[in-house]
Amino acid sequence: MSPEETVALAEDDRLEEDLYPEAVSGINVGQVITGGTVHGGVHQTFVENKLINEAIRRHHLLRAYVEQVVRSLAPRSYRLASQGQDLTLDRAAASRLVGDQPWVVVLGPANSGLRTAAVALLYESSQAGRRLEEILIDEERGRPFAAAELPAERGVTYLLCLPDQRERVSPDLGRRLQAHAAHLATLDANLVVAATPAVWAVAGGVGTVTLFEVPPPEVAEVVRRECAVHAVDASAIIGNPAIGDLLTRATVMDAMRLTGIIVTALRNHPEHDVTKLVEEVCGAYGDWDDVLANWFSGAESVRHRLFLVAAALLEGEPPAEVLDAVNSLGRTLGDLPSARSDGLAEVGLRALMSEIKAEVVDGGLRFERANYGAAVLTFLHGDRSAWFHKKLWEWAMDLPLRRNDNRQTRLAERIVGNLVAIVLRSRDTRPLVWLNRWTGRPNLRPHVVQALTASAMSDEVGADVRSLLYRWSRLERASDQSLCTIAEVCSGELARLYPRVSLTRLSHIAHRDSPVVRDAIVTAVSRLWEIPRLRPRIVEAVTNWSEGEPGGRTKAAWAVFAALACSEAHPVLLTWHDELSRIGLVGVVARLFDQIEVDDVRREFGESLLDAALSSAASRIRIVEFLGDVVRRGDGGTRRLVRLSKLTFAWQPVDHDVISPDRRDVRDHIVESLHQVDPLTVGA
C-alpha cells in the first residue's frame, strides 16, 4: 500500500483533516444509482436497502428480474460476427444459440446497455427454469482479472460482465474463459460474457467462441419503454423538442436517469401541462445547476442560504425542525454568531419556504421542484471548498446524536441516505468517513453498516469503497467500534457477492488483540459459515490466521474454530475431500497440541472433534483418521498422542461408561487407533 493511498478512519480531528487536502470538483452524475432510479428530493428519501436488494437481484438473476428487463428492453439487434458468419438476429433467435453453446461473448460500447442486452438473452433459459447467476469480479484493486477461480455448478447459466477498463483484465483471459467453458459443458452449464470490443481484444479474444455484436438502442425508445414499466405514459414529454435535444446527446445510462426524473415529475405533478413538466424535467436533468447558480449569486441573506442547505439534507422533516437546525448549521460554518437568531428581526418560516420554493406535504417540508434537494447537495459538492464539505457533514452527522427520541432513527436514515447518494453521484468516497461518528452508538451502527454495504456494492464507487474498507481494516489507530462495524459489513450481503474481499478484510481485523474485536470476528465468520458455498474459503482463511506467531490473529482463529466446531458442519469433516485444506488443518491442530499449557481452546476444540465422532459411523472413521494424521505430523507425535488420550478420557471418564456407552465406544476406538500410529511403536 503506497503512502499516498493511506486514508485514515476518522478517529479524531487530525484524521478527518487528512481526508480533505484539496477541493473536489462536482460531477453531475444525476439520480441513477445501481439497482434502479432514485427519486430524491421532493418525492422520497433514498433508502440504502433498495440498493442492496437490487444488487442481490442482479447477482442471482431471478426470473422476475429477467422478465422485467425483457419487458423494458428497447429493440436490439444481435449481429453474429464469428466463425466466418455475418448474420443479424433478433433476441429470440440469438437466445436459442446461447442455449446451444458452451459459451458466447456479447460485445458492445460502454454505457450502451450492453449488460441489459446480455441479460435479455437469458430470458428463454429463465422461462425453462434454469438457474441464472452473475459472476462478480472478486479481486482487489490493481489486480487484473484472470478468472483464476470461477464458479462451476451443474445446470447453471452464468453471466460475466468484464470491466470497461482494459488494464483490469489479464491478457490471457480469453484462453482461461474458454477452458472454463469447456469444464462447464461437462456439467450442463454454460457462460455468457459481456465486454467492450477494446477489452475483449486485450483479453486475447478466442476465435472459436460464438460472438455477438450489439449496437446501442434508440435512447428515446429506452425512455419510453422504461416509463411504461412504471405505468407512466411519457409520449407527450418525449416528443417535446427540448427533451429530444437532450436525448440526441444521451447515452443509455443518461436515458435511464432521465426516465426516473420523468416518472417523478408525472407522478407528483399530474396537473401540470406539458410545457411545465418539460421545464421541470429539464431542470432536474441538469440538477437545476443554472437555477442554483443564479440563486446563490443573488442577494439572498445568510439565513436563506442556511435554510436551503438544511432543507436539502432534512427534506421530509417538519419545517419547524428544519428551521431549528439552521442555527446549529450557521454556527458550525461560522456564518452565524453563537447566540440564536430567531428574533422578530429575522425572516420567518413562511418567507423562507417561499424563497426556496418549498411547501408542507403530510406534515413534512418538501421542495416544489423535482429532485431539488439532491440537486442542492450536488451543487454544493462541486461549488464549495473541501473545508465546507467537512463542516457540512460534521454538522449533519451530529444532528441524530443530539436526540434520544423516536425521531432519531428517522433522522439518521435521512442523513445517511443523502450521504450515500452524494457519494454515488459525485463518486467521492470521503464523506463516508463521517459514519465513524456513529459506530460507538448501538442504535445508529446499523445505519453505518447499511451505508457502507450499499456503497461497497454499487457500480459507481464499489471498488473504491471496498479498497477503503481494506485500508480501514489495517489502520492501527482505528477504534474497536470501527473495526467491529467493518466486520459486520464484511459478514453481510457484501460477503455473499465478494467473499474473497470480505475475508481479506476480516483477516486484517483479526490482528487486533482485543476481546471486543475478537467477538465481532467470531460473530462475523459464524454468520458467513451459514452459507455452504463459502465454507471451504473460510476454512482456508482461518487456517492461515492460526499459522502465524502467537497473538491477536491466532487467538481469533481458534476462537472462530471453536465456534464453527459447534455448528452442524464441523470444519474437519468439511475438509475431508479437500486434500490441501485438510493438510493445512492437520498442521494447525498438531501445533495446538504441541503447546505445553492446557488452555480452554485446546480442550474445547478437542472435545468438538470427539462430539463430531459421535454423529455417525462415517464421521467417527474420519475423525479417527484425522487425529492419526495429527499424531504423525512431524516431530513430537508421542507427546501429542498422550495429550489427546488425556483429553479423550477427560471427555469420557471410565466411571461414566455404563451411562454413556456410545461415548465409551468412541473413546476406546480413538485411543486404540492413536496407539497404532504412535511413532515409538511404529519405529520399533
Side-chain angles (χ1 to χ4, degrees):
M1 188 64 60
S2 62
E4 62 269 21
E5 287 181 319
T6 303
V7 177
L9 200 57
E11 300 300 330
D12 52 38
D13 289 340
R14 284 174 299 163
L15 291 177
E16 292 164 354
E17 291 285 357
D18 289 343
L19 290 172
Y20 290 89
E22 58 186 18
V24 182
S25 61
I27 304 173
N28 276 349
V29 184
Q31 293 291 318
V32 168
I33 295 177
T34 304
T37 304
V38 175
H39 309 302
V42 36
H43 312 291
Q44 54 183 301
T45 304
F46 177 86
V47 179
E48 308 86 33
N49 274 333
K50 292 179 181 178
L51 187 63
I52 298 172
N53 292 339
E54 186 64 22
I56 296 169
R57 292 177 70 230
R58 286 165 55 99
H59 174 58
H60 291 295
L61 297 176
L62 302 179
R63 177 177 176 179
Y65 172 73
V66 177
E67 290 176 347
Q68 175 188 322
V69 167
V70 172
R71 282 200 307 272
S72 62
L73 184 72
R76 310 294 293 265
S77 60
Y78 298 81
R79 176 174 167 264
L80 185 61
S82 60
Q83 303 173 9
Q85 302 182 71
D86 188 357
L87 181 65
T88 299
L89 306 174
D90 61 15
R91 184 199 58 77
S95 295
R96 287 192 289 272
L97 270 179
V98 170
D100 294 337
Q101 302 295 320
W103 71 310
V104 301
V105 176
V106 184
L107 301 181
N111 298 321
S112 67
L114 178 63
R115 180 186 177 280
T116 301
V119 170
L121 290 177
L122 306 178
Y123 175 74
E124 277 71 16
S125 296
S126 71
Q127 292 296 101
R130 194 173 182 87
R131 200 167 118 226
L132 312 175
E133 286 196 6
E134 181 170 5
I135 300 172
L136 299 183
I137 297 178
D138 189 15
E139 295 286 358
E140 299 289 355
R141 178 179 287 281
R143 183 182 301 169
F145 176 61
E149 295 181 28
L150 292 179
E153 294 186 43
R154 182 169 297 278
V156 178
T157 295
Y158 294 100
L159 171 65
L160 171 62
C161 297
L162 298 183
D164 294 339
Q165 300 81 14
R166 290 179 292 181
E167 66 275 8
R168 291 186 59 196
V169 299
S170 170
D172 64 344
L173 178 61
R175 178 181 56 79
R176 289 175 177 266
L177 291 177
Q178 185 176 39
H180 184 68
H183 174 55
L184 291 177
T186 65
L187 301 173
D188 185 31
N190 57 340
L191 174 68
V192 176
V193 179
T196 65
V199 167
W200 186 242
V202 171
V206 180
T208 57
V209 64
T210 299
L211 204 68
F212 290 112
E213 293 179 355
V214 185
E218 182 186 350
V219 288
E221 187 63 20
V222 171
V223 176
R224 186 176 292 106
R225 286 177 176 258
E226 192 66 28
C227 286
V229 169
H230 294 282
V232 169
D233 181 5
S235 301
I237 293 180
I238 296 172
N240 186 277
I243 301 298
D245 185 54
L246 293 180
L247 291 175
T248 58
R249 303 185 300 274
T251 66
V252 172
M253 291 289 290
D254 296 329
M256 294 297 293
R257 174 176 169 243
L258 184 62
T259 298
I261 294 170
I262 292 174
V263 170
T264 294
L266 286 171
R267 283 181 175 174
N268 287 274
H269 298 290
E271 74 282 1
H272 287 177
D273 59 25
V274 172
T275 302
K276 181 67 174 175
L277 286 170
V278 167
E279 179 184 343
E280 181 91 349
V281 169
C282 290
Y285 185 77
D287 273 335
W288 300 102
D289 193 72
D290 293 339
V291 171
L292 287 166
N294 291 333
W295 190 88
F296 274 102
S297 65
E300 286 75 15
S301 70
V302 170
R303 192 169 174 81
H304 283 100
R305 295 180 179 216
L306 292 171
F307 187 72
L308 174 66
V309 176
L313 270 164
L314 303 177
E315 184 177 8
E317 292 296 304
E321 298 212 13
V322 178
L323 184 60
D324 284 341
V326 165
N327 290 289
S328 61
L329 176 59
R331 288 193 294 273
T332 299
L333 296 175
D335 290 331
L336 290 181
S338 58
R340 293 179 64 87
S341 302
D342 289 325
L344 288 175
E346 297 297 336
V347 179
L349 181 60
R350 290 188 180 183
L352 289 169
M353 291 178 59
S354 175
E355 178 61 33
I356 68 171
K357 295 192 180 301
E359 57 189 348
V360 180
V361 177
D362 297 329
L365 178 147
R366 80 170 198 177
F367 291 106
E368 296 174 4
R369 295 183 174 112
N371 298 337
Y372 198 62
V376 169
L377 297 178
T378 301
F379 178 85
L380 292 172
H381 195 82
D383 191 60
R384 299 287 154 161
S385 69
W387 178 90
F388 177 87
H389 302 158
K390 175 181 182 296
K391 289 297 182 180
L392 177 64
W393 292 113
E394 177 185 343
W395 164 78
M397 301 303 288
D398 280 346
L399 287 177
L401 300 180
R402 302 172 185 172
R403 312 193 67 127
N404 291 313
D405 56 18
N406 57 1
R407 288 182 177 175
Q408 183 189 58
T409 295
R410 190 181 70 185
L411 187 60
E413 287 177 349
R414 239 178 254 289
I415 290 171
V416 81
N418 276 315
L419 186 146
V420 171
I422 198 66
V423 164
L424 299 184
R425 279 197 300 272
S426 64
R427 288 172 167 77
D428 179 5
T429 62
R430 291 178 296 179
L432 293 174
V433 76
W434 296 101
L435 294 170
N436 186 62
R437 294 198 166 207
W438 294 357
T439 57
R441 303 293 185 101
N443 52 335
L444 294 177
R445 185 185 289 179
H447 302 297
V448 179
V449 173
Q450 279 190 321
L452 290 175
T453 302
S455 53
M457 292 167 62
S458 71
D459 287 341
E460 291 81 357
V461 296
D464 292 332
V465 176
R466 296 192 293 273
S467 180
L468 198 63
L469 291 173
Y470 176 85
R471 296 194 290 272
W472 287 354
S473 68
R474 293 169 54 91
L475 188 67
E476 292 183 4
R477 298 170 67 181
S479 67
D480 286 357
Q481 291 83 4
S482 298
L483 295 180
C484 290
T485 302
I486 297 172
E488 190 171 348
V489 171
C490 292
S491 67
E493 297 302 337
L494 180 67
R496 293 177 182 269
L497 273 58
Y498 299 95
R500 191 204 316 264
V501 163
S502 298
L503 284 170
T504 299
R505 281 132 192 81
L506 290 174
S507 174
H508 290 301
I509 296 170
H511 276 291
R512 178 67 62 91
D513 196 359
S514 161
V516 174
V517 175
R518 194 175 306 130
D519 288 345
I521 290 289
V522 171
T523 300
V525 180
S526 297
R527 188 178 175 193
L528 296 181
W529 193 252
E530 297 173 1
I531 309 172
R533 65 181 176 84
L534 297 186
R535 289 172 181 170
R537 287 179 181 265
I538 293 170
V539 172
E540 180 183 0
V542 181
T543 299
N544 289 336
W545 300 357
S546 60
E547 290 177 345
E549 296 296 322
R553 201 160 79 143
T554 304
K555 292 178 183 177
W558 283 111
V560 168
F561 272 138
L564 301 185
C566 297
S567 71
E568 47 87 20
H570 196 288
V572 168
L573 297 178
L574 180 77
T575 61
W576 188 254
H577 297 293
D578 186 338
E579 187 66 18
L580 288 178
S581 294
R582 186 169 175 274
I583 290 173
L585 204 50
V586 166
V588 299
V589 174
R591 284 194 295 277
L592 181 67
F593 280 88
D594 281 337
Q595 298 174 8
I596 297 175
E597 66 277 4
V598 181
D599 57 12
D600 290 340
V601 169
R602 191 163 84 188
R603 177 183 54 79
E604 290 174 1
F605 190 77
E607 290 180 351
S608 76
L609 291 169
L610 302 175
D611 290 337
L614 280 171
S615 61
S616 69
S619 296
R620 181 194 297 189
I621 293 172
R622 291 171 179 176
I623 294 296
V624 167
E625 186 170 335
F626 178 84
L627 292 176
D629 290 341
V630 168
V631 170
R632 286 190 292 260
R633 179 65 176 261
D635 297 332
T638 299
R639 181 172 61 249
R640 289 192 289 271
L641 184 151
V642 171
R643 290 170 180 168
L644 283 167
S645 297
K646 285 183 178 180
L647 174 71
T648 306
F649 276 100
W651 174 75
Q652 175 57 29
V654 175
D655 55 359
H656 290 179
D657 285 355
V658 175
I659 59 176
S660 302
D662 291 344
R663 292 168 69 94
R664 177 201 63 202
D665 292 344
V666 167
R667 180 199 66 201
D668 293 346
H669 185 184
I670 289 176
V671 171
E672 179 183 352
S673 299
L674 290 180
H675 279 287
Q676 291 177 2
V677 297
D678 183 354
L680 294 179
T681 304
V682 174

